[in-house]
Amino acid sequence: MSSDEGKVDVLMVGTGEYTTGYVGGTAADSDKGAGVVALTMFDFRRRGKVDRLGMCGVNGKKFPGIRAHMKRCIEEVYNDMDLTCETFPSDTEVDPAAYIKASSTFKAGDVAIIFTPDDTHFDIAMDCVKKGMHVMVTKPIVQTLDHHIQLAKLAAEKNVLVGVEVHKRLDPFYADARDRARSALGNFQYMYAYMSQPKHQLDTFKAWAGKSSDISYYLNSHHIDFSEWTLAGIARPVRVTATASSGVAKARGIDTEDSITLTVQWQNLNDKTLGCALYTSSWVAPKSDVHSQQRFFYMGSRGEINVDQAHRGCTVAMDDANFASVNPLFMKYTPTNGMFAGQASYGVKSFENFIDACRNVNAGKAKPEDYDDGSIATVHTTMQGTAILEAGRKSLDADGMPMDIVYESDTSEEPVGVKPHEF
């Protein structure tokens, strides 16, 4: 497909850190100060993949500051970046339902990219799918298995592509680990995964932290998706038990867990043997050389893998900045000859793969179900992850009661429910 053939219009829903890099009236104090979604979409338009761009939030009064931020961090940094973007609601309005009006100005076959608080994903995604739009939602796609099943059903009825933005699948270290595990390491035995962010993220997310979602939904979702992607056809999750630590967030007036650990029992499909995975996430880590600690250890019946995503062997020290371990494989913000040069970064490729897939579907060159092969984390292939996250929340709310993930049969890989374990 040529660059000018089959352009799509894109509505970005959400105006926070990952979309614009704008938090609390200034650039985010993280590794995403210039944002990811908007920057990537502006570059896609420059490259002929998308055309009209819209951005929708709740508080329109933030848009003057967002425009000034994007001008400073994108237009004045990179050449040939057109920041033209329609915004919803108006600069004088506050409207939590602005996405309904915004999506009504787009047509079937256009794309919605949703980066909003977790509890809003379902309603926004359903609205856009009903209008025939392809939809990409940040993880977790939704918070309950019931919502996930409803969204998958509607996506199939409307014949649109609905996916989860889980860029770790495009990380070459994780992708290689996945392929090694599937091809050479045998049945699943054990996995330990850890992911954290510094304490100031509690301030970044104070609007929803502990009110409508938790750190497990936000961070454990990364490595849970890695497990679901890696173990597809090999093993399925059958039981979840959650534990937590507390104190730091509550001392800041935020009623939420500091860290959450999910212990997940996986069952190998070929012989019903068991494996165990521990997923730990935290948002009370100290500031360090990285914004997010990310690592895992995976052991199969015939071998093991260690991956430290946070440290890629590249460190930077500057007079006016803290010592940092950087990861340009995720996003390369440094321009090359004045141009944005992050096209090979997996933070960009995640969106590009989805946009290209939508263009192919619109052109009749592919069907949405063609991407259920693992090339994209579609709504139809990510139900186990949602079941694990929901079971984890239910386990915490039940004082650590184990939760069973229910399937229709001994061989089914698609969960149908979550229920308390019966001893």
Side-chain angles (χ1 to χ4, degrees):
M1 180 180 289
S2 67
S3 62
D4 291 325
E5 181 184 348
K7 294 180 183 179
V8 292
D9 295 341
V10 177
L11 172 64
M12 296 172 277
V13 187
T15 62
E17 178 181 34
Y18 208 82
T19 299
T20 67
Y22 186 76
V23 176
T26 187
D29 183 15
S30 71
D31 56 350
K32 308 175 188 71
V36 177
V37 184
L39 170 59
T40 298
M41 294 304 126
F42 294 139
D43 187 58
F44 285 175
R45 180 163 57 193
R46 183 183 67 82
R47 295 164 58 197
K49 291 178 177 286
V50 308
D51 191 7
R52 175 187 173 219
L53 293 175
M55 184 182 294
C56 178
V58 170
N59 187 353
K61 298 175 184 179
K62 292 182 180 179
F63 280 122
I66 289 171
R67 294 187 195 103
H69 167 79
M70 293 194 300
K71 178 177 175 62
R72 183 172 61 254
C73 294
I74 299 177
E75 186 177 56
E76 295 177 2
V77 174
Y78 309 107
N79 296 334
D80 198 22
M81 280 289 196
D82 174 13
L83 303 192
T84 302
C85 182
E86 299 171 51
T87 54
F88 306 85
S90 73
D91 289 6
T92 60
E93 290 182 284
V94 176
D95 182 7
Y99 67 89
I100 298 174
K101 179 180 178 181
S103 60
S104 296
T105 70
F106 286 77
K107 63 186 182 298
D110 287 341
V111 178
I113 297 175
I114 301 170
F115 275 76
T116 59
D118 298 347
D119 64 319
T120 66
H121 293 176
F122 176 70
D123 289 339
I124 299 172
M126 289 289 282
D127 175 77
C128 294
V129 171
K130 286 175 182 176
K131 293 169 180 171
M133 298 179 72
H134 305 293
V135 175
M136 184 181 223
V137 190
T138 184
K139 48 73 203 161
I141 184 168
V142 290
Q143 290 181 301
T144 69
L145 183 58
D146 177 63
H147 280 174
H148 198 135
I149 291 170
Q150 289 185 53
L151 183 58
K153 181 180 179 181
L154 185 63
E157 290 174 357
K158 293 293 185 179
N159 197 37
V160 296
L161 185 61
V162 176
V164 193
E165 201 288 308
V166 278
H167 47 262
K168 298 306 301 176
R169 293 193 180 198
L170 282 301
D171 181 335
F173 284 44
Y174 277 51
D176 183 69
R178 185 248 187 184
D179 292 342
R180 289 176 187 271
R182 292 181 63 81
S183 64
L185 299 191
N187 277 356
F188 175 61
Q189 285 279 307
Y190 174 77
M191 180 173 177
Y192 162 74
Y194 176 75
M195 194 165 182
S196 70
Q197 290 191 354
K199 294 180 181 69
H200 71 259
Q201 288 296 88
L202 286 168
D203 299 321
T204 300
F205 302 128
K206 62 184 178 182
W208 57 262
K211 300 172 184 176
S212 60
S213 194
D214 59 38
I215 189 58
S216 183
Y217 276 111
Y218 181 59
L219 288 186
N220 275 336
S221 48
H222 286 89
H223 286 114
I224 288 170
D225 177 75
F226 173 79
S227 291
E228 181 172 17
W229 182 47
T230 298
L231 296 174
I234 297 174
R236 65 180 189 176
V238 294
R239 188 168 301 147
V240 180
T241 306
T243 54
S245 58
S246 61
V248 176
K250 289 183 178 180
R252 292 174 171 233
I254 301 174
D255 188 16
T256 190
E257 300 88 359
D258 295 341
S259 304
I260 295 175
T261 295
L262 305 185
T263 302
V264 181
Q265 192 87 75
W266 289 77
Q267 182 185 68
N268 291 298
L269 296 170
N270 62 350
D271 60 6
K272 307 305 181 187
T273 57
L274 299 176
C276 179
L278 283 78
Y279 308 96
T280 297
S281 58
S282 175
W283 46 14
V284 299
K287 271 197 165 186
S288 67
D289 59 325
V290 295
H291 177 67
S292 180
Q293 298 285 354
Q294 303 178 37
R295 54 185 179 266
F296 73 83
F297 169 80
Y298 178 101
M299 184 173 69
S301 57
R302 297 200 301 268
E304 64 185 41
I305 302 174
N306 268 296
V307 175
D308 180 359
Q309 187 274 349
H311 301 94
R312 303 301 179 99
C314 180
T315 61
V316 175
M318 300 173 63
D319 288 341
D320 56 354
N322 293 329
F323 175 84
S325 295
V326 298
N327 179 17
L329 293 176
F330 166 60
M331 279 296 287
K332 183 184 182 303
Y333 286 109
T334 310
T336 299
N337 298 324
M339 304 297 290
F340 175 67
Q343 291 83 6
S345 305
Y346 61 80
V348 171
K349 294 298 293 183
S350 178
F351 292 104
E352 185 164 13
N353 287 357
F354 189 80
I355 293 292
D356 285 348
C358 294
R359 296 170 71 205
N360 284 334
V361 171
N362 290 348
K365 296 181 178 180
K367 299 176 181 178
E369 57 266 29
D370 292 340
Y371 298 98
D372 291 339
D373 60 355
S375 57
I376 287 176
T378 70
V379 67
H380 305 290
T381 60
T382 51
M383 292 186 187
Q384 291 178 358
T386 298
I388 291 171
L389 291 166
E390 180 186 4
R393 186 66 255 172
K394 286 185 172 181
S395 176
L396 282 175
D397 292 341
D399 293 327
M401 168 74 74
M403 295 289 160
D404 290 341
I405 297 176
V406 182
Y407 298 87
E408 288 186 345
S409 70
D410 287 343
T411 59
S412 175
E413 295 182 62
E414 191 171 293
V416 295
V418 175
K419 68 176 185 179
H421 178 68
E422 295 181 6
F423 290 94

